[in-house]
């Protein structure tokens, strides 16, 4: 049976199980629902998950919006963030499942670690006092702002992927002959006009400079000095690393378990997971299934703990869930022409400002 089909079926069943628990709890507490703050919450859900689908993240956006609109109390914020974004995150995972490019064992073990971390983290966070929660949320936003800044500047493990022109230029500079290289570049840039078969042949490999330097050594060792436009993408992709072994796999499990636990506090998993994947030597394409799969499976697990403890805002969670899913589909269907680096800078500034408010409020308790 196809691995992607198994993953898809598993997450759909888990989403159904979570939805039954979530809706049942909401029905038991109908008195929590009113029209107050409905439109701000609907906008927060739509906009935060729209940005999440575009790679900026939803947790920090939500935390700031909650604080400015007073639509969710601080002590219920960690639980609300996790419960509210569970279904939108699962929707994202299902929509982008075709992008999975990772060894099955690595993906299963790292998702398992995140789920364990999420369950353990939620069981602890649900018992925290308002002072501890506000302090944790404040530092969580500072951590996210730092990580997003590093990602924006392509510092450390957030190395920028090379353009097709850069790949060809570097290979030529190292003595490789690439037949029809201009054709390869042209077809990648016009990939949307090709047939499904041609799209696989002419797709841009996600590769960084460090990875390309390693591949150049491998190609020279294997005496692969002549390449052509029809095999260049496949040869590069075949030589990239999509799985972890030995101590690196253990490190990956450990850090993803930690990230799963931190997510219950409000530290989004996407950017830290991407940093971890790059630091462990995996190709950047492997980051997507790990971070999306981890969130899709850990969030229902953690959220059920928050639902059972009652430490979440039911109205906010349900409203954001509904409009968040809509935001995901809108973001998936349109290609944004917005300057994402400017949006990211704005998000970082908002995170830092909101973190100071959380820390200030924590001191007052």
């Amino acid at each position: 049976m196809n691995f992607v089909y198994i993953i898809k079926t598993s997450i759909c069943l888990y989403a159904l199980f979570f939805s039954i628990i979530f809706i049942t709890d909401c029905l038991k507490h109908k008195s929590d629902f009113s029209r107050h703050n409905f439109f701000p919450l609907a906008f927060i859900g739509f906009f935060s998950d729209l940005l999440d689908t575009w790679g900026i993240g939803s947790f920090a956006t939500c935390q700031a919006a909650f604080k400015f609109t007073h639509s969710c109390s601080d002590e219920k914020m960690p639980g609300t963030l996790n419960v509210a974004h569970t279904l939108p995150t699962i929707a994202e995972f299902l929509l982008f499942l075709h992008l999975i490019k990772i060894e099955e064992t690595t993906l299963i073990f790292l998702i398992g670690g995140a789920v364990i971390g999420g369950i353990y983290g939620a069981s602890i966070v649900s018992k925290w006092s308002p002072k501890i929660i506000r302090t944790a949320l404040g530092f969580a936003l500072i951590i996210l702002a730092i990580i997003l800044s590093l990602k924006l500047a392509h510092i450390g493990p957030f190395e920028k992927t090379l353009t097709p022109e850069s790949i060809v230029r570097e290979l030529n500079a190292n003595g490789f002959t690439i037949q029809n290289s201009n054709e390869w570049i042209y077809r990648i840039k016009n990939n949307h006009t090709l047939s499904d078969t041609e799209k696989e042949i002419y797709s841009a490999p996600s590769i960084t400079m460090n990875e390309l330097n390693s591949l150049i050594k491998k190609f020279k060792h294997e005496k692969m000095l002549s390449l052509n436009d029809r095999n260049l993408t496949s040869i590069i992709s075949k030589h990239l690393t999509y799985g972890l072994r030995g101590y690196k796999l253990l490190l990956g499990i450990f850090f993803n378990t930690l990230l799963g636990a931190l997510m219950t506090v409000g530290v989004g998993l996407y950017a830290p997971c991407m940093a971890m994947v790059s630091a462990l030597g995996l190709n950047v394409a492997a980051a997507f299934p790990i971070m999306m799969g981890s969130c899709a499976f850990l969030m229902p697990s953690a959220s059920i703990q928050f639902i059972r403890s009652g430490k979440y805002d039911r109205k906010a969670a349900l409203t954001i869930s509904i409009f968040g899913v809509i935001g995901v589909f809108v973001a998936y269907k349109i290609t944004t022409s917005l300057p994402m680096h400017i949006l990211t800078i704005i998000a970082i500034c908002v995170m830092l400002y909101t973190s100071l408010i959380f820390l200030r409020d924590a001191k007052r308790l």
Side-chain angles (χ1 to χ4, degrees):
M1 188 180 292
N2 185 275
F3 178 66
V4 173
Y5 177 78
I6 294 172
I7 290 286
K8 186 175 183 179
T9 303
S10 300
I11 196 59
C12 285
L13 290 173
Y14 205 8
L16 178 61
F17 176 67
F18 163 78
S19 298
I20 291 171
I21 294 174
F22 182 25
I23 294 171
T24 301
D25 186 64
C26 289
L27 291 173
K28 286 180 180 178
H29 298 85
K30 292 179 182 178
S31 59
D32 289 1
F33 293 84
S34 66
R35 293 184 180 181
H36 181 64
N37 276 334
F38 172 77
F39 289 106
L41 288 170
F43 179 77
I44 290 169
F46 178 83
F47 188 68
S48 62
D49 282 298
L50 185 85
L51 293 181
D52 195 58
T53 310
W54 287 340
I56 293 178
S58 59
F59 272 25
T61 311
C62 250
Q63 288 175 57
F66 281 156
K67 202 67 177 169
F68 294 138
T69 60
H70 305 288
S71 50
C72 179
S73 63
D74 292 349
E75 58 268 26
K76 290 186 176 181
M77 205 175 288
T80 305
L81 288 169
N82 281 273
V83 177
H85 292 290
T86 292
L87 293 178
T89 299
I90 290 174
E92 282 183 54
F93 184 55
L94 290 171
L95 287 172
F96 292 99
L97 256 179
H98 62 283
L99 296 178
I100 280 186
K101 204 168 190 179
I102 188 174
E103 287 184 7
E104 298 171 7
T105 304
T106 300
L107 181 61
I108 291 170
F109 276 109
L110 264 62
I111 288 178
V115 170
I116 292 170
I119 294 173
Y120 183 69
S123 66
I124 294 175
V125 174
S126 61
K127 299 173 185 175
W128 281 358
S129 67
K131 183 180 180 69
I132 295 176
I133 288 174
R134 287 176 181 178
T135 303
L137 289 172
F139 282 112
L141 285 172
I142 292 172
I143 292 169
L144 282 173
I146 292 171
I147 292 173
L148 271 182
S149 299
L150 293 173
K151 182 182 174 185
L152 190 67
H154 301 293
I155 295 173
F158 298 105
E159 193 178 357
K160 192 174 183 179
T161 55
L162 297 174
T163 62
E165 292 92 341
S166 298
I167 293 171
V168 169
R169 185 168 57 250
E170 290 297 327
L171 287 172
N172 286 334
N174 282 273
F176 291 86
T177 301
I178 304 173
Q179 301 170 21
N180 301 319
S181 60
N182 290 333
E183 180 75 7
W184 183 71
I185 294 170
Y186 174 80
R187 293 203 173 203
I188 285 178
K189 288 187 173 181
N190 295 275
N191 186 276
H192 61 281
T193 65
L194 305 177
S195 65
D196 290 341
T197 303
E198 292 288 290
K199 283 180 180 179
E200 291 184 13
I201 297 172
Y202 297 102
S203 60
S206 298
I207 184 169
T208 63
M209 193 65 234
N210 282 334
E211 286 180 307
L212 185 59
N213 286 333
S214 296
L215 288 192
I216 287 172
K217 292 178 182 178
K218 290 181 183 179
F219 290 166
K220 286 183 176 180
H221 179 73
E222 297 173 14
K223 297 183 179 179
M224 297 170 55
L225 299 177
S226 180
L227 305 165
N228 62 63
D229 63 309
R230 296 190 67 84
N231 69 13
L232 184 55
T233 294
S234 61
I235 286 176
I236 289 175
S237 298
K238 285 177 183 177
H239 284 77
L240 295 174
T241 304
Y242 299 108
L244 298 172
R245 295 283 186 277
Y247 78 93
K248 285 190 175 183
L249 179 58
L250 293 176
L251 283 174
I253 295 170
F254 171 78
F255 282 113
N256 222 38
T257 302
L258 180 61
L259 292 178
L262 288 174
M263 191 162 175
T264 61
V265 183
V267 180
L269 185 137
Y270 286 8
C273 184
M274 186 178 292
M276 177 195 73
V277 165
S278 298
L280 290 173
L282 285 174
N283 178 252
V284 68
F288 167 77
I290 293 173
M291 63 190 189
M292 286 300 300
S294 295
C295 290
F297 280 94
L298 86 83
M299 289 183 76
S301 307
S303 295
I304 288 171
Q305 303 298 315
F306 285 115
I307 291 172
R308 286 174 176 167
S309 68
K311 291 291 291 286
Y312 78 109
D313 187 311
R314 295 177 180 86
K315 183 181 71 174
L318 183 60
T319 307
I320 290 171
S321 290
I322 295 169
F323 287 91
V325 169
I326 296 172
V328 168
F329 277 95
V330 170
Y332 177 76
K333 286 294 183 182
I334 65 174
T335 302
T336 177
S337 57
L338 294 173
M340 297 309 294
H341 64 289
I342 294 177
L343 285 177
T344 305
I345 291 171
I346 293 171
I348 291 168
C349 293
V350 172
M351 286 179 207
L352 292 173
Y353 178 73
T354 310
S355 70
L356 294 176
I357 295 175
F358 275 123
L359 295 174
R360 180 202 65 189
D361 291 349
K363 274 189 175 183
R364 291 177 176 176
L365 294 176

mmCIF file of all heavy atoms in Angstrom, residues 249-289:
data_model
loop_
_atom_site.group_PDB
_atom_site.id
_atom_site.type_symbol
_atom_site.label_atom_id
_atom_site.label_comp_id
_atom_site.label_asym_id
_atom_site.label_seq_id
_atom_site.Cartn_x
_atom_site.Cartn_y
_atom_site.Cartn_z
ATOM 1 N N LEU A 249 19.600 10.263 13.704
ATOM 2 C CA LEU A 249 18.177 9.950 13.854
ATOM 3 C C LEU A 249 17.749 10.131 15.307
ATOM 4 O O LEU A 249 16.680 10.685 15.590
ATOM 5 C CB LEU A 249 17.895 8.520 13.396
ATOM 6 C CG LEU A 249 16.440 8.038 13.529
ATOM 7 C CD1 LEU A 249 15.500 8.942 12.743
ATOM 8 C CD2 LEU A 249 16.308 6.590 13.058
ATOM 9 N N LEU A 250 18.593 9.685 16.246
ATOM 10 C CA LEU A 250 18.290 9.851 17.670
ATOM 11 C C LEU A 250 18.220 11.330 18.046
ATOM 12 O O LEU A 250 17.339 11.741 18.808
ATOM 13 C CB LEU A 250 19.352 9.142 18.517
ATOM 14 C CG LEU A 250 19.387 7.603 18.409
ATOM 15 C CD1 LEU A 250 20.549 7.043 19.219
ATOM 16 C CD2 LEU A 250 18.065 7.010 18.882
ATOM 17 N N LEU A 251 19.166 12.121 17.509
ATOM 18 C CA LEU A 251 19.136 13.563 17.760
ATOM 19 C C LEU A 251 17.872 14.197 17.190
ATOM 20 O O LEU A 251 17.250 15.065 17.817
ATOM 21 C CB LEU A 251 20.371 14.233 17.149
ATOM 22 C CG LEU A 251 21.691 14.083 17.899
ATOM 23 C CD1 LEU A 251 22.832 14.681 17.075
ATOM 24 C CD2 LEU A 251 21.619 14.769 19.258
ATOM 25 N N GLY A 252 17.505 13.749 15.989
ATOM 26 C CA GLY A 252 16.300 14.265 15.354
ATOM 27 C C GLY A 252 15.063 13.975 16.178
ATOM 28 O O GLY A 252 14.201 14.839 16.363
ATOM 29 N N ILE A 253 14.953 12.755 16.685
ATOM 30 C CA ILE A 253 13.812 12.371 17.525
ATOM 31 C C ILE A 253 13.789 13.215 18.797
ATOM 32 O O ILE A 253 12.737 13.718 19.207
ATOM 33 C CB ILE A 253 13.871 10.869 17.873
ATOM 34 C CG1 ILE A 253 13.720 10.014 16.614
ATOM 35 C CG2 ILE A 253 12.782 10.510 18.887
ATOM 36 C CD1 ILE A 253 14.008 8.547 16.821
ATOM 37 N N PHE A 254 14.952 13.362 19.427
ATOM 38 C CA PHE A 254 15.042 14.136 20.670
ATOM 39 C C PHE A 254 14.606 15.585 20.461
ATOM 40 O O PHE A 254 13.761 16.111 21.201
ATOM 41 C CB PHE A 254 16.476 14.104 21.211
ATOM 42 C CG PHE A 254 16.699 15.054 22.360
ATOM 43 C CD1 PHE A 254 16.260 14.733 23.640
ATOM 44 C CD2 PHE A 254 17.338 16.279 22.161
ATOM 45 C CE1 PHE A 254 16.449 15.619 24.702
ATOM 46 C CE2 PHE A 254 17.531 17.166 23.217
ATOM 47 C CZ PHE A 254 17.084 16.827 24.490
ATOM 48 N N PHE A 255 15.155 16.239 19.433
ATOM 49 C CA PHE A 255 14.845 17.654 19.208
ATOM 50 C C PHE A 255 13.403 17.843 18.745
ATOM 51 O O PHE A 255 12.753 18.830 19.110
ATOM 52 C CB PHE A 255 15.825 18.265 18.204
ATOM 53 C CG PHE A 255 17.163 18.593 18.795
ATOM 54 C CD1 PHE A 255 18.303 17.913 18.401
ATOM 55 C CD2 PHE A 255 17.278 19.567 19.776
ATOM 56 C CE1 PHE A 255 19.541 18.205 18.953
ATOM 57 C CE2 PHE A 255 18.505 19.869 20.348
ATOM 58 C CZ PHE A 255 19.644 19.189 19.931
ATOM 59 N N ASN A 256 12.870 16.913 17.951
ATOM 60 C CA ASN A 256 11.480 17.052 17.515
ATOM 61 C C ASN A 256 10.513 16.814 18.674
ATOM 62 O O ASN A 256 9.437 17.404 18.728
ATOM 63 C CB ASN A 256 11.168 16.103 16.362
ATOM 64 C CG ASN A 256 10.326 16.765 15.291
ATOM 65 O OD1 ASN A 256 10.520 17.949 14.987
ATOM 66 N ND2 ASN A 256 9.374 16.046 14.738
ATOM 67 N N THR A 257 10.909 15.949 19.617
ATOM 68 C CA THR A 257 10.108 15.758 20.830
ATOM 69 C C THR A 257 10.087 17.049 21.639
ATOM 70 O O THR A 257 9.035 17.469 22.146
ATOM 71 C CB THR A 257 10.687 14.620 21.694
ATOM 72 O OG1 THR A 257 10.724 13.410 20.925
ATOM 73 C CG2 THR A 257 9.833 14.389 22.942
ATOM 74 N N LEU A 258 11.247 17.695 21.741
ATOM 75 C CA LEU A 258 11.346 18.970 22.448
ATOM 76 C C LEU A 258 10.507 20.045 21.763
ATOM 77 O O LEU A 258 9.795 20.812 22.425
ATOM 78 C CB LEU A 258 12.813 19.410 22.517
ATOM 79 C CG LEU A 258 13.106 20.748 23.227
ATOM 80 C CD1 LEU A 258 12.664 20.679 24.692
ATOM 81 C CD2 LEU A 258 14.585 21.081 23.120
ATOM 82 N N LEU A 259 10.558 20.091 20.430
ATOM 83 C CA LEU A 259 9.783 21.080 19.677
ATOM 84 C C LEU A 259 8.285 20.832 19.837
ATOM 85 O O LEU A 259 7.487 21.772 19.902
ATOM 86 C CB LEU A 259 10.164 21.048 18.195
ATOM 87 C CG LEU A 259 11.571 21.532 17.842
ATOM 88 C CD1 LEU A 259 11.824 21.401 16.355
ATOM 89 C CD2 LEU A 259 11.773 22.978 18.280
ATOM 90 N N GLY A 260 7.913 19.553 19.908
ATOM 91 C CA GLY A 260 6.506 19.217 20.135
ATOM 92 C C GLY A 260 6.024 19.718 21.482
ATOM 93 O O GLY A 260 4.903 20.228 21.607
ATOM 94 N N ALA A 261 6.876 19.596 22.499
ATOM 95 C CA ALA A 261 6.520 20.081 23.838
ATOM 96 C C ALA A 261 6.447 21.609 23.859
ATOM 97 O O ALA A 261 5.529 22.194 24.439
ATOM 98 C CB ALA A 261 7.539 19.591 24.860
ATOM 99 N N LEU A 262 7.412 22.263 23.204
ATOM 100 C CA LEU A 262 7.435 23.726 23.176
ATOM 101 C C LEU A 262 6.247 24.303 22.423
ATOM 102 O O LEU A 262 5.785 25.410 22.712
ATOM 103 C CB LEU A 262 8.743 24.220 22.536
ATOM 104 C CG LEU A 262 10.014 24.039 23.366
ATOM 105 C CD1 LEU A 262 11.233 24.421 22.551
ATOM 106 C CD2 LEU A 262 9.947 24.881 24.638
ATOM 107 N N MET A 263 5.734 23.546 21.471
ATOM 108 C CA MET A 263 4.609 24.037 20.689
ATOM 109 C C MET A 263 3.374 24.245 21.562
ATOM 110 O O MET A 263 2.551 25.119 21.288
ATOM 111 C CB MET A 263 4.295 23.065 19.553
ATOM 112 C CG MET A 263 3.321 23.625 18.536
ATOM 113 S SD MET A 263 3.371 22.712 17.005
ATOM 114 C CE MET A 263 2.022 23.522 16.136
ATOM 115 N N THR A 264 3.243 23.461 22.609
ATOM 116 C CA THR A 264 2.087 23.606 23.498
ATOM 117 C C THR A 264 2.153 24.890 24.312
ATOM 118 O O THR A 264 1.153 25.344 24.858
ATOM 119 C CB THR A 264 1.977 22.404 24.458
ATOM 120 O OG1 THR A 264 3.152 22.335 25.275
ATOM 121 C CG2 THR A 264 1.822 21.107 23.698
ATOM 122 N N VAL A 265 3.361 25.493 24.387
ATOM 123 C CA VAL A 265 3.531 26.760 25.088
ATOM 124 C C VAL A 265 3.238 27.931 24.154
ATOM 125 O O VAL A 265 2.881 29.018 24.589
ATOM 126 C CB VAL A 265 4.965 26.893 25.642
ATOM 127 C CG1 VAL A 265 5.125 28.166 26.443
ATOM 128 C CG2 VAL A 265 5.327 25.694 26.477
ATOM 129 N N GLY A 266 3.395 27.705 22.859
ATOM 130 C CA GLY A 266 3.179 28.772 21.888
ATOM 131 C C GLY A 266 4.336 29.001 20.949
ATOM 132 O O GLY A 266 4.322 29.911 20.130
ATOM 133 N N VAL A 267 5.383 28.161 21.039
ATOM 134 C CA VAL A 267 6.514 28.243 20.112
ATOM 135 C C VAL A 267 6.166 27.435 18.867
ATOM 136 O O VAL A 267 6.104 26.207 18.913
ATOM 137 C CB VAL A 267 7.813 27.703 20.738
ATOM 138 C CG1 VAL A 267 8.953 27.798 19.742
ATOM 139 C CG2 VAL A 267 8.152 28.464 21.996
ATOM 140 N N GLY A 268 5.893 28.107 17.760
ATOM 141 C CA GLY A 268 5.567 27.405 16.524
ATOM 142 C C GLY A 268 6.672 26.452 16.104
ATOM 143 O O GLY A 268 7.852 26.718 16.337
ATOM 144 N N LEU A 269 6.295 25.363 15.455
ATOM 145 C CA LEU A 269 7.271 24.316 15.144
ATOM 146 C C LEU A 269 7.955 24.508 13.799
ATOM 147 O O LEU A 269 9.056 24.008 13.583
ATOM 148 C CB LEU A 269 6.565 22.953 15.199
ATOM 149 C CG LEU A 269 7.420 21.706 15.018
ATOM 150 C CD1 LEU A 269 7.032 20.624 16.017
ATOM 151 C CD2 LEU A 269 7.300 21.148 13.594
ATOM 152 N N TYR A 270 7.339 25.232 12.864
ATOM 153 C CA TYR A 270 7.830 25.280 11.490
ATOM 154 C C TYR A 270 9.284 25.717 11.361
ATOM 155 O O TYR A 270 10.143 24.962 10.886
ATOM 156 C CB TYR A 270 6.960 26.225 10.650
ATOM 157 C CG TYR A 270 5.604 25.681 10.286
ATOM 158 C CD1 TYR A 270 5.128 24.484 10.827
ATOM 159 C CD2 TYR A 270 4.781 26.362 9.410
ATOM 160 C CE1 TYR A 270 3.889 24.004 10.512
ATOM 161 C CE2 TYR A 270 3.525 25.887 9.077
ATOM 162 C CZ TYR A 270 3.080 24.710 9.631
ATOM 163 O OH TYR A 270 1.848 24.233 9.300
ATOM 164 N N ALA A 271 9.576 26.954 11.756
ATOM 165 C CA ALA A 271 10.929 27.494 11.570
ATOM 166 C C ALA A 271 11.983 26.736 12.379
ATOM 167 O O ALA A 271 13.049 26.392 11.844
ATOM 168 C CB ALA A 271 10.956 28.983 11.917
ATOM 169 N N PRO A 272 11.725 26.414 13.675
ATOM 170 C CA PRO A 272 12.722 25.632 14.421
ATOM 171 C C PRO A 272 12.971 24.255 13.801
ATOM 172 O O PRO A 272 14.099 23.776 13.790
ATOM 173 C CB PRO A 272 12.094 25.490 15.815
ATOM 174 C CG PRO A 272 11.182 26.647 15.937
ATOM 175 C CD PRO A 272 10.633 26.869 14.563
ATOM 176 N N CYS A 273 11.911 23.656 13.263
ATOM 177 C CA CYS A 273 12.051 22.333 12.640
ATOM 178 C C CYS A 273 12.899 22.425 11.372
ATOM 179 O O CYS A 273 13.737 21.564 11.104
ATOM 180 C CB CYS A 273 10.668 21.761 12.316
ATOM 181 S SG CYS A 273 10.731 20.087 11.641
ATOM 182 N N MET A 274 12.694 23.480 10.608
ATOM 183 C CA MET A 274 13.499 23.684 9.401
ATOM 184 C C MET A 274 14.980 23.844 9.753
ATOM 185 O O MET A 274 15.859 23.307 9.066
ATOM 186 C CB MET A 274 13.002 24.915 8.644
ATOM 187 C CG MET A 274 13.669 25.123 7.300
ATOM 188 S SD MET A 274 12.997 26.551 6.410
ATOM 189 C CE MET A 274 11.344 25.942 6.041
ATOM 190 N N ALA A 275 15.236 24.566 10.847
ATOM 191 C CA ALA A 275 16.615 24.748 11.304
ATOM 192 C C ALA A 275 17.219 23.407 11.716
ATOM 193 O O ALA A 275 18.371 23.096 11.394
ATOM 194 C CB ALA A 275 16.655 25.725 12.468
ATOM 195 N N MET A 276 16.440 22.600 12.433
ATOM 196 C CA MET A 276 16.913 21.289 12.880
ATOM 197 C C MET A 276 17.227 20.383 11.693
ATOM 198 O O MET A 276 18.274 19.717 11.653
ATOM 199 C CB MET A 276 15.850 20.627 13.758
ATOM 200 C CG MET A 276 16.218 19.224 14.218
ATOM 201 S SD MET A 276 14.800 18.300 14.865
ATOM 202 C CE MET A 276 13.882 17.937 13.353
ATOM 203 N N VAL A 277 16.337 20.367 10.716
ATOM 204 C CA VAL A 277 16.516 19.519 9.533
ATOM 205 C C VAL A 277 17.799 19.891 8.800
ATOM 206 O O VAL A 277 18.587 19.015 8.422
ATOM 207 C CB VAL A 277 15.290 19.667 8.595
ATOM 208 C CG1 VAL A 277 15.595 19.120 7.212
ATOM 209 C CG2 VAL A 277 14.084 18.934 9.183
ATOM 210 N N SER A 278 18.020 21.178 8.604
ATOM 211 C CA SER A 278 19.230 21.633 7.901
ATOM 212 C C SER A 278 20.483 21.311 8.706
ATOM 213 O O SER A 278 21.495 20.883 8.149
ATOM 214 C CB SER A 278 19.148 23.136 7.644
ATOM 215 O OG SER A 278 18.054 23.439 6.820
ATOM 216 N N ALA A 279 20.411 21.518 10.027
ATOM 217 C CA ALA A 279 21.579 21.263 10.880
ATOM 218 C C ALA A 279 21.966 19.790 10.882
ATOM 219 O O ALA A 279 23.148 19.452 11.017
ATOM 220 C CB ALA A 279 21.280 21.726 12.305
ATOM 221 N N LEU A 280 20.994 18.900 10.718
ATOM 222 C CA LEU A 280 21.265 17.463 10.709
ATOM 223 C C LEU A 280 21.683 16.947 9.328
ATOM 224 O O LEU A 280 21.949 15.763 9.157
ATOM 225 C CB LEU A 280 20.032 16.691 11.190
ATOM 226 C CG LEU A 280 19.703 16.834 12.687
ATOM 227 C CD1 LEU A 280 18.371 16.158 13.010
ATOM 228 C CD2 LEU A 280 20.810 16.247 13.547
ATOM 229 N N GLY A 281 21.727 17.848 8.345
ATOM 230 C CA GLY A 281 22.225 17.465 7.027
ATOM 231 C C GLY A 281 21.182 16.996 6.045
ATOM 232 O O GLY A 281 21.527 16.542 4.944
ATOM 233 N N LEU A 282 19.902 17.097 6.391
ATOM 234 C CA LEU A 282 18.847 16.703 5.457
ATOM 235 C C LEU A 282 18.619 17.801 4.427
ATOM 236 O O LEU A 282 18.827 18.979 4.704
ATOM 237 C CB LEU A 282 17.535 16.445 6.207
ATOM 238 C CG LEU A 282 17.425 15.153 7.009
ATOM 239 C CD1 LEU A 282 16.126 15.147 7.806
ATOM 240 C CD2 LEU A 282 17.476 13.942 6.101
ATOM 241 N N ASN A 283 18.170 17.413 3.260
ATOM 242 C CA ASN A 283 17.815 18.389 2.254
ATOM 243 C C ASN A 283 16.613 19.198 2.727
ATOM 244 O O ASN A 283 15.736 18.678 3.420
ATOM 245 C CB ASN A 283 17.486 17.687 0.932
ATOM 246 C CG ASN A 283 17.057 18.660 -0.149
ATOM 247 O OD1 ASN A 283 15.896 18.720 -0.516
ATOM 248 N ND2 ASN A 283 17.997 19.443 -0.658
ATOM 249 N N VAL A 284 16.539 20.455 2.320
ATOM 250 C CA VAL A 284 15.476 21.349 2.781
ATOM 251 C C VAL A 284 14.087 20.828 2.403
ATOM 252 O O VAL A 284 13.096 21.108 3.076
ATOM 253 C CB VAL A 284 15.705 22.776 2.224
ATOM 254 C CG1 VAL A 284 15.516 22.811 0.710
ATOM 255 C CG2 VAL A 284 14.781 23.767 2.900
ATOM 256 N N ALA A 285 14.009 20.031 1.315
ATOM 257 C CA ALA A 285 12.721 19.481 0.892
ATOM 258 C C ALA A 285 12.153 18.526 1.935
ATOM 259 O O ALA A 285 10.943 18.306 2.002
ATOM 260 C CB ALA A 285 12.867 18.759 -0.449
ATOM 261 N N ALA A 286 13.036 17.946 2.765
ATOM 262 C CA ALA A 286 12.585 17.023 3.812
ATOM 263 C C ALA A 286 11.957 17.764 4.977
ATOM 264 O O ALA A 286 11.266 17.162 5.796
ATOM 265 C CB ALA A 286 13.757 16.176 4.305
ATOM 266 N N ALA A 287 12.199 19.073 5.053
ATOM 267 C CA ALA A 287 11.648 19.854 6.176
ATOM 268 C C ALA A 287 10.133 19.895 6.125
ATOM 269 O O ALA A 287 9.464 19.829 7.162
ATOM 270 C CB ALA A 287 12.212 21.272 6.152
ATOM 271 N N PHE A 288 9.567 20.017 4.922
ATOM 272 C CA PHE A 288 8.114 20.145 4.814
ATOM 273 C C PHE A 288 7.361 18.965 5.420
ATOM 274 O O PHE A 288 6.520 19.161 6.302
ATOM 275 C CB PHE A 288 7.671 20.336 3.355
ATOM 276 C CG PHE A 288 6.196 20.159 3.193
ATOM 277 C CD1 PHE A 288 5.314 21.161 3.566
ATOM 278 C CD2 PHE A 288 5.676 18.964 2.716
ATOM 279 C CE1 PHE A 288 3.945 20.976 3.458
ATOM 280 C CE2 PHE A 288 4.312 18.772 2.609
ATOM 281 C CZ PHE A 288 3.443 19.789 2.978
ATOM 282 N N PRO A 289 7.614 17.723 4.971
ATOM 283 C CA PRO A 289 6.847 16.614 5.561
ATOM 284 C C PRO A 289 7.079 16.437 7.050
ATOM 285 O O PRO A 289 6.171 16.030 7.773
ATOM 286 C CB PRO A 289 7.325 15.386 4.776
ATOM 287 C CG PRO A 289 8.617 15.779 4.159
ATOM 288 C CD PRO A 289 8.514 17.247 3.914
#
